[in-house]
Amino acid sequence: MRFNRIFQQFAGITDAIKAFPLVTGLLLVLFILNVAEISGTVTNYDQWLATLVVAVFAASVADLFAKRVLTYSIAIIFTGLFFLISNANDLILAIQTGIVVSTLMMGFIWLGKDNFSARFFQIFKSILITAFFSIVIFVGLMLVYAAINYLLFPVNSTIIGYIAATVFGLFTPLFFLSLTMKKAESAHILEVLISYVIVPLTMVYAVILVIYIALHFTDWSENLLEPLLVSFVTTVLIVYFLSYQINNVLTKWFRLIFPKVLLVIVLYQLVVSIMKIGETGITHGRYFVILFGLFAIIIALILTFMQKKQWLVAPIFIGFSLLSVIPPVDAFTISKNNQENLLQERLQSLNMYDGEVQPNPDISNEDKQFITEKFDYLKRMGYDIAWLPDQPFDKIFGFSQQYKDYTNEVYYTTNLDWDEPVITDIDQYDYFVQVSASQNSMHRRFELANNMQLRLQKDQLVLEKDEQELLAWPLEELDTLFTSDYSELTLEEATLIAENDRAKLKIIVQNAQSYGNQRYAELYVFVQVKE
């Protein structure tokens, strides 16, 4: 019985070929392109590959909605426009392709129907099944290749490329399409995985982010959450729509609470990212974070107040995605103009630009780092800046590239000389605490006695009584110990004193490290309370 079901799944490929004729034809063209690339060199292979991948997805949507001249024409025009706006830079091309493919995939899922979550669940299940079968078939064929190559006769290794092109370029997409045509069936294992593994892990992930926001709510200089925002929003939305087909206590609570959690996290990061624009400008990454943040806010509101309109996710996502890749409002045009203007304005303020760049080696390190950062970004993205000469960096600006927190920062370390016995007077002190201190130690507390605490927060060690501060010692005092990149300290040199009329701290540094503005130390702390 199981073999019959497997056979039927493979037989469904024939139905997929009939249902998606334009897709099948384009897959054959894509296969020929890959074979040609394996055999030799295809000019602009990456751009042609990206265009054909987009064409395949556009054709799948056209085939799905209606096999008419109009829909096919729209798919062809859409693909042609992508080819025109696609960039030769590998990074930009990869981002553009990913966004457009995601847009078309959302259209494929949407189908213009209200039962969006059911279709989403079916597509997700089809992707997992397709990935499993494709990997098994590819690994099996590779084992056959290896057995023939080592046991019978040598086989040219280029056959591996042909196998991959056949399995992943032809079989995988057609098998996936065949699965999407089948009537939706229950998937108990997937439901268990979502309910008791994926949903709880997503909850833990969100709790960590909420704790981070709570600890840094008043410190807007921290921006560690920005790189995680897009992945977090994507994860939450995927899990939300997958869980919509599963009705148990955990998934119901997840659907009830998480749109609100998403709203809080995204609002916080959106404010931080917008504030950061004043410092570093708009890069393509920040553009996507802000745009995706706005999208997430809208979707969170829809999922909170209009759950029956969840299908609106698809057209809103498609609209935002197209906005991000269509000039002149796309991420790359905006980031290029912004970063170019920031660089030009800084050069003008330093009298280094009057229509041409004037080298000046005597500017401050901060200005050198700023110029280096903007120049590197523009070059990395492959942006054509007409007024920048095609010369090495030092020839253009008169100094070598300088980097903040990296190349120009020295890693300092110092240790207590353990060959010297550690003997110190402790009569006048009331408490002894061994502390591992760093600027990443989030509000760690050491409970003493009589309602006293020694609290380690972001950049200082604080002694408190009844929640009132008695004495604070900043970690930056460690900098006085760093006389070279490596040093050993005598007991006297390693001893630091912090004192006022209420308390006294005697701190013996076992070892300490510093890099840029980050510090770490192992400390012996002796506490004296004078009150």
Side-chain angles (χ1 to χ4, degrees), residues 146-393:
I148 295 173
N149 188 56
Y150 289 110
L151 300 178
L152 300 180
F153 52 84
V155 181
N156 195 314
S157 60
T158 55
I159 197 173
I160 297 174
Y162 297 127
I163 292 172
T166 304
V167 174
F168 298 112
L170 285 177
F171 168 78
T172 297
L174 289 173
F175 186 66
F176 167 75
L177 291 172
S178 72
L179 293 178
T180 64
M181 296 168 58
K182 296 181 180 295
K183 186 178 179 181
E185 300 176 356
S186 62
H188 181 67
I189 295 177
L190 181 57
E191 291 176 1
V192 171
L193 180 66
I194 293 168
S195 298
Y196 303 109
V197 177
I198 296 177
V199 167
L201 286 176
T202 306
M203 288 179 171
V204 172
Y205 185 21
V207 168
I208 293 171
L209 297 188
V210 170
I211 293 173
Y212 169 83
I213 291 174
L215 294 175
H216 294 85
F217 193 74
T218 58
D219 184 7
W220 300 98
S221 63
E222 291 284 359
N223 197 29
L224 301 179
L225 185 56
E226 187 175 73
L228 304 176
L229 185 68
V230 174
S231 61
F232 172 72
V233 173
T234 304
T235 300
V236 168
L237 292 179
I238 288 175
V239 175
Y240 180 92
F241 289 115
L242 291 177
S243 70
Y244 215 85
Q245 300 303 302
I246 306 168
N247 288 312
N248 56 46
V249 175
L250 197 59
T251 56
K252 286 180 180 178
W253 273 101
F254 180 83
R255 292 195 297 271
L256 179 66
I257 295 172
F258 258 69
K260 291 84 170 175
V261 175
L262 180 65
L263 191 62
V264 171
I265 293 174
V266 172
L267 277 173
Y268 168 83
Q269 185 54 51
L270 199 59
V271 172
V272 175
S273 295
I274 292 173
M275 291 176 65
K276 286 290 181 181
I277 291 175
E279 297 179 20
T280 58
I282 302 176
T283 61
H284 69 283
R286 181 156 294 143
Y287 176 101
F288 284 118
V289 166
I290 293 173
L291 192 68
F292 211 75
L294 293 173
F295 163 76
I297 289 172
I298 295 171
I299 299 308
L301 292 173
I302 290 173
L303 297 181
T304 300
F305 301 107
M306 300 183 295
Q307 289 191 8
K308 292 183 178 180
K309 299 290 185 181
Q310 59 182 251
W311 59 270
L312 287 171
V313 171
I316 294 171
F317 177 83
I318 291 170
F320 273 91
S321 298
L322 292 178
L323 180 70
S324 70
V325 294
I326 297 177
V329 293
D330 64 298
F332 307 106
T333 303
I334 296 294
S335 64
K336 172 186 177 296
N337 293 338
N338 180 263
Q339 297 294 301
E340 180 183 359
N341 290 337
L342 288 175
L343 176 58
Q344 193 173 80
E345 288 170 4
R346 180 62 66 94
L347 293 174
Q348 288 173 337
S349 69
L350 297 169
N351 297 319
M352 292 180 63
Y353 182 76
D354 57 358
E356 293 183 356
V357 179
Q358 306 298 326
N360 183 2
D362 300 323
I363 61 176
S364 69
N365 285 335
E366 181 182 352
D367 288 323
K368 290 179 180 179
Q369 291 164 3
F370 182 91
I371 292 170
T372 300
E373 178 186 335
K374 302 308 172 189
F375 178 87
D376 281 357
Y377 176 79
L378 294 169
K379 290 298 181 182
R380 183 172 66 253
M381 299 302 295
Y383 294 145
D384 182 24
I385 309 300
W387 51 271
L388 274 178
D390 186 17
Q391 296 177 354
F393 181 92

Side-chain angles (χ1 to χ4, degrees), residues 457-513:
Q457 58 184 35
K458 183 182 176 183
D459 55 1
Q460 59 183 352
L461 197 61
V462 180
L463 180 64
E464 294 180 342
K465 183 176 182 180
D466 297 323
E467 298 186 357
Q468 297 296 317
E469 180 180 308
L470 299 181
L471 179 63
W473 177 75
L475 292 181
E476 64 183 18
E477 290 292 323
L478 292 169
D479 292 349
T480 60
L481 305 177
F482 302 121
T483 56
S484 62
D485 56 352
Y486 177 80
S487 60
E488 286 192 342
L489 304 172
T490 64
L491 179 59
E492 182 180 357
E493 292 170 335
T495 302
L496 303 172
I497 302 293
E499 185 175 11
N500 60 20
D501 58 354
R502 306 178 71 184
K504 178 180 179 181
L505 296 179
K506 180 178 181 179
I507 301 159
I508 299 178
V509 180
Q510 294 176 264
N511 59 75
Q513 292 86 39

